[in-house]
Amino acid sequence: MDIVVLKKSASQDEIDNIQKRLEQKGLALNVSKGTERTIIGVIGDTSKISEEEVDSVRAMSGVDEVMRIVKPYKLASRDFKKENTVIDVDGLKIGGNRIHIIAGPCAIEGRDILLSIAQKVKEGGASFVRGGAFKPRTSPYTFQGMGEEGLQILLEAKKLTGMPIVTELMDPRDLTLMLKYTDIIQIGTRNMQNFRLLLEVGMVDKPVLLKRGLAATIKEWLMAAEYIMSRGNHKVILCERGVRTFETATRNTLDLSAVPVLKQLTHLPVIVDPSHAVGRWDLVKPMSLAAVAAGADGLLIEVHTKPEEACSDGEQSLKPDVFNDLVKSLRLVATAVGREI
């Protein structure tokens, strides 16, 4: 027993009685009220519940059906929630009909350059500004980010442009600091299976952008999302950013098939990061267009006014004028598939 589907006519007293009955079994519950039905998600080891006990719950007043979810990710499963999850961030709805673009530099390098980039991507059609204040780098000797000073600059960019902030959290010890500044917490590729970090962001009321691991399967990725959701935070956005394969022509191999697959398996929004996937600015446009055609709910794109001088990932960053042209093309594809940017 993993899902208890309630009748439309179920009263609050009936719902309370059902919850009490399940909690007596030592199970945690999650109530989801959709447009068509209300369901109670049962969290825990439900294999120990006998079929007789399942039948007794099924017979309770207010219960329409009791179902088992075979998939190991329960809360993230489309079986748990049929409707698409739409996450509201300062009035911008991720997962709805509008496709949102998150744009900005890989790393925050200084006040003037970030504010300049933020203004330009806003004018070009971005909805969110991104930038790394804490940077996970392969070498300990390369630029590691500006820390809280970088977050302060990001906040200034938000006040200047009105765009919400997306930035990466690497360490649970920085979570309290991060909550003061960011609107969406990004969990990077290297931390997709940092389970302590996932559990920590699962206990805050802040959207989480969860990037796919370097060689993670879709199941492993969804299980990482389940860690966050199991602690009560259901505001999870999945980000496909390419996986490591034997191919060397691009930085990673962008798995665009993951987008429609995820749309079948989960109700969570799915966005695509073509910049980190291909690692080349000249390939970002075709991959972005393809991502929108595949059904992505958004794009995460690196933009820099002087990519040749960037502290990190300059080779995959678009200049503002190239970004502007990209957005114009994206709008045509979005219209063709019945959506908007």
Side-chain angles (χ1 to χ4, degrees):
M1 173 174 57
D2 296 298
I3 288 180
V4 179
V5 183
L6 305 181
K7 295 178 180 177
K8 288 186 177 180
S9 60
S11 67
Q12 190 59 50
D13 285 342
E14 289 172 331
I15 295 173
D16 292 342
N17 288 335
I18 297 165
Q19 288 183 269
K20 184 177 180 180
R21 177 71 172 275
L22 295 170
E23 287 170 348
Q24 288 174 346
K25 302 294 182 182
L27 299 167
L29 307 177
N30 185 283
V31 181
S32 176
K33 295 184 178 181
T35 56
E36 298 182 359
R37 62 178 184 172
T38 297
I39 62 176
I40 299 176
V42 183
I43 305 168
D45 186 2
T46 60
S47 63
K48 297 179 181 178
I49 301 176
S50 67
E51 288 303 319
E52 290 77 11
E53 290 174 311
V54 172
D55 289 338
S56 68
V57 173
R58 186 178 285 114
M60 292 183 69
S61 179
V63 174
D64 185 34
E65 183 57 273
V66 176
M67 302 165 56
R68 288 193 182 273
I69 299 179
V70 178
K71 301 179 182 70
Y73 45 91
K74 311 293 184 182
L75 299 174
S77 171
R78 180 72 75 173
D79 295 332
F80 175 72
K81 184 181 178 185
K82 297 296 183 184
E83 306 89 3
N84 291 333
T85 287
V86 178
I87 299 173
D88 191 313
V89 185
D90 287 358
L92 301 175
K93 294 177 170 56
I94 301 176
N97 190 61
R98 184 180 175 189
I99 298 167
H100 290 283
I101 300 175
I102 303 167
C106 177
I108 302 163
E109 302 164 354
R111 177 181 179 275
D112 292 344
I113 193 164
L114 180 73
L115 296 185
S116 174
I117 294 170
Q119 285 181 304
K120 291 181 183 301
V121 298
K122 171 69 174 181
E123 294 166 1
S127 303
F128 296 81
V129 61
R130 60 150 295 165
F134 301 94
K135 294 303 300 177
R137 304 300 300 278
T138 303
S139 170
Y141 308 114
T142 50
F143 181 65
Q144 304 291 310
M146 296 180 66
E148 185 172 8
E149 183 183 356
L151 293 174
Q152 292 170 345
I153 295 171
L154 261 183
L155 186 58
E156 188 175 351
K158 177 181 179 179
K159 293 176 180 177
L160 178 68
T161 64
M163 292 190 295
I165 295 167
V166 181
T167 193
E168 183 172 354
L169 174 68
M170 294 171 52
D171 191 323
R173 293 170 294 183
D174 295 323
L175 179 57
T176 301
L177 173 66
M178 187 73 70
L179 293 174
K180 293 167 52 180
Y181 296 97
T182 193
D183 298 291
I184 298 178
I185 300 171
Q186 177 180 311
I187 301 298
T189 294
R190 294 171 177 83
N191 279 312
M192 190 205 80
Q193 288 186 313
N194 183 338
F195 300 121
R196 174 62 187 274
L197 185 61
L198 300 179
L199 291 173
E200 290 292 327
V201 298
M203 292 186 282
V204 300
D205 185 24
K206 187 77 71 172
V208 178
L209 191 156
L210 180 63
K211 284 198 164 188
R212 185 178 186 177
L214 283 171
T217 65
I218 288 176
K219 178 181 175 181
E220 290 168 339
W221 188 11
L222 288 172
M223 289 304 296
E226 192 78 7
Y227 263 89
I228 299 169
M229 300 176 75
S230 70
R231 286 298 184 267
N233 186 355
H234 290 200
K235 300 176 183 178
V236 179
I237 304 159
L238 301 170
C239 181
E240 163 60 38
R241 48 81 66 204
V243 291
R244 180 171 290 172
T245 67
F246 55 81
E247 183 54 67
T248 58
T250 54
R251 180 175 179 178
N252 297 285
T253 298
L254 182 57
D255 182 10
L256 285 181
S257 66
V259 177
V261 169
L262 287 167
K263 288 294 182 180
Q264 293 180 3
L265 297 177
T266 182
H267 52 87
L268 298 174
V270 182
I271 72 171
V272 172
D273 176 355
S275 301
H276 276 93
V278 297
R280 290 170 45 183
W281 72 268
D282 59 321
L283 297 180
V284 169
K285 180 176 179 177
M287 290 296 93
S288 297
L289 297 173
V292 170
D297 296 305
L299 294 167
L300 185 64
I301 297 176
E302 292 191 355
V303 179
H304 202 291
T305 50
K306 297 181 179 179
E308 66 279 1
E309 298 178 9
C311 292
S312 63
D313 291 346
E315 64 277 9
Q316 65 197 36
S317 299
L318 302 183
K319 290 185 176 181
D321 59 336
V322 178
F323 174 74
N324 295 347
D325 290 339
L326 168 61
V327 176
K328 291 176 183 177
S329 298
L330 287 170
R331 288 196 170 109
L332 297 175
V333 178
T335 300
V337 296
R339 302 182 75 176
E340 61 179 340
I341 293 179

